[in-house]
Each structure stands twice: as C-alpha cells, then as structure tokens.
Amino acid sequence: MREERQIGGSLDQLVANPFDSDAAARRYARGRPYYHRTALRLAMRQLRIERAGTAVDLGCGTGLSTRALRDVADRVVALDVAPAMLRAAQRYPGVQYVVSGAERIPLRDACADLVTAGAAFHWFDQARVLPELARVLDDGAALAVYSDFFTGRLAGRPAFTRWFRDSYLARHPAPPRHHLDTAAAADAGFSDALDAEDRFRVRMSRSELADYLLSQSNAAAAVRSGAVTAHDLRREITDGLRSCLDGEEIDALFGVRVWTAVLRR
C-alpha cells in the first residue's frame, strides 16, 4: 500500500463516504462479494493469533466483515457511521451494532483484543482514528486493515477491460480517498506493519456483475451527486456489458490487500 503522510487540508475535505442512504446500502448488500474470510485468514496468520475475545469492526457496512469477524471472536462490536448501512446489516449472535464514526468510539479504554476495518479505512480521518484505536485496544492487541479491489478484468474477456477503463470509469471516476498513513500509525504506538496481498476469482452472471459495479463507490458518488439516477446508471452498465460480453457466466478477477500492526504502549 502506498503511504500518504498528509491527511488533512483540502484532501481531507474532499474525501467523503458515499454509502449513506438506504438505496446505496441495499445496492451494497446485494452486489458485494463475500471475500472477508480470505482477508481475515491472511491477517490472523500475520498476527499469529487464532482467536480474539472482544473485537471491534470499524465501518462494518452491511455486516459482511462482521460475519467473518464473528467466526474468530467471542464478541464483536460493529460500528458504522451510516445508519442506512446498519439497517441493511444481517444480525448475528454475539454481535452488537452501533451507529458511530471511527474517530470517537463509544467503548472504554483497553477493552478490545482486535480491531478490524474491511474496505473502510480509506474513508476515515486517520490522524484522529489511529490514536482512538490505541486508546480502545489493550497493550499487545492488534489492528487489521484490509480491502478488496476489482482488477477491472474478467478472465478471457479483454473487450470488457477496454469498456470498463475507457468508457465506464472515464464517465464515472472513483471518488477521492485516503491512503493508509503508516507514519501516523507509528506515532500512535503501532508496530511496524506487515502487509500481504492475494488474488481470487468470483463467478458471476452478467446481472450480478452489474449489481457489483452499481455497488462501487464511484457509482454511489455519481448517484449521490445527482449526475445520474441509479436506474439510468444500471441501464448504462447493462448496455455496456451487453456490448462487450457474450454469454451469461463470467469470472471476475479480484485482489485483496491486508495490513496488520500490533499496539505497543
């Protein structure tokens, strides 16, 4: 992951989480692949831990990351700043959902053994979040930050890559987001970070690929800005896929990145 030291200023004012409506949350829940167990396996291997007592899931969204975290923790507190995302989240035993930003976590000091952030850390004000995580985590506890990314490629379908890059993303670029600030993490007391990356495939229908593209942040930002309606954007995506894909089933190529660190007071 590329390091970016400066978090404030004009960039900080530009970065905004676009997933803050019920419609966006439903699109997210419907379209996102469940890769989170793969990411957590990488993270736990790096951290050399098998299970946590109390874990905190930052930016839990519709609960996909929470579902994976509950498999390796006795108790999970899952936080998201957008009430709409939590309304769309599935409920699991041992999980408490809380409407909260990551900059002020409503938990006592040193109460957590593990904090995770799946596909969310790039929306946070990291200069404020990392000291808050150091407050919430116990000494020797761990932080795992991970995210998936779509490579923009489908196996054996080069025409899709050209449409996706030259037409679709040109019209609907990704919104600004923060890069991981490893220097701020060190200032907050976290150890030198470890990182890993892996690849995976997701078998999808054309309709499911359209759902996924409509769930991405660039689509959410375009709809939120009023530049296009969700209905018209889905039609644009569907027409584009029809123009470059034959057949119904495709293999979408994804990657996952994991970054882990341990708190040392």
Side-chain angles (χ1 to χ4, degrees):
M1 294 184 181
R2 181 169 69 86
E3 177 181 339
E4 179 173 10
R5 184 68 179 92
Q6 183 160 352
I7 296 299
S10 59
L11 177 62
D12 189 49
Q13 294 169 11
L14 287 171
V15 173
N17 186 338
F19 302 107
D20 62 352
S21 71
D22 287 318
R26 288 192 296 271
R27 292 193 296 271
Y28 193 99
R30 183 172 61 244
R32 289 299 173 115
Y34 182 55
Y35 71 97
H36 303 73
R37 282 197 180 112
T38 299
L40 275 180
R41 276 197 298 267
L42 285 172
M44 303 292 269
R45 190 181 308 144
Q46 284 183 176
L47 293 166
R48 299 183 179 181
I49 59 177
E50 295 184 357
R51 192 164 185 85
T54 297
V56 179
D57 186 17
L58 296 181
C60 66
T62 59
L64 290 174
S65 55
T66 311
R67 173 183 170 190
L69 185 56
R70 182 63 184 85
D71 289 344
V72 297
D74 299 331
R75 174 176 177 260
V76 176
V77 181
L79 311 177
D80 201 284
V81 73
M85 296 295 272
L86 296 186
R87 284 194 290 270
Q90 295 186 36
R91 268 46 188 175
Y92 306 102
V95 171
Q96 179 184 8
Y97 287 107
V98 180
V99 177
S100 174
E103 292 77 12
R104 290 192 67 182
I105 299 172
L107 296 173
R108 61 180 174 81
D109 294 357
C111 68
D113 307 303
L114 175 66
V115 170
T116 63
F121 214 70
H122 45 265
W123 304 121
F124 300 158
D125 180 349
Q126 295 177 36
R128 294 173 58 199
V129 168
L130 286 160
E132 181 69 348
L133 297 184
R135 180 188 68 79
V136 168
L137 284 167
D138 198 1
D139 186 30
L143 169 64
V145 174
Y146 65 88
S147 185
D148 69 325
F149 59 93
F150 178 44
T151 65
R153 296 186 296 118
L154 307 179
R157 305 295 184 98
F160 168 82
T161 301
R162 291 191 292 271
W163 169 79
F164 183 72
R165 179 191 61 215
D166 299 335
S167 179
Y168 179 67
L169 286 184
R171 286 173 55 85
H172 309 294
R177 62 191 68 202
H178 298 305
H179 294 284
L180 186 66
D181 191 344
T182 54
D187 290 345
F190 289 94
S191 65
D192 291 342
L194 298 175
D195 60 80
E197 189 170 308
D198 201 358
R199 294 288 191 272
F200 62 99
R201 293 187 178 202
V202 178
R203 174 62 59 90
M204 293 180 170
S205 66
R206 282 198 299 182
S207 177
E208 288 169 337
L209 178 58
D211 284 342
Y212 172 74
L213 295 180
L214 200 60
S215 79
Q216 288 191 298
S217 58
N218 65 320
V223 172
R224 181 184 183 187
S225 73
V228 65
T229 67
H231 178 271
D232 287 344
L233 183 54
R234 184 180 178 86
R235 183 170 58 186
E236 177 187 333
I237 291 170
T238 300
D239 289 346
L241 295 181
R242 188 179 297 114
S243 73
C244 64
L245 295 178
D246 56 356
E248 179 63 17
E249 294 293 318
I250 50 91
D251 284 329
L253 306 181
F254 286 82
V256 58
R257 296 189 183 103
V258 177
W259 178 95
T260 59
V262 175
L263 180 66
R264 301 298 186 195
R265 298 192 192 282

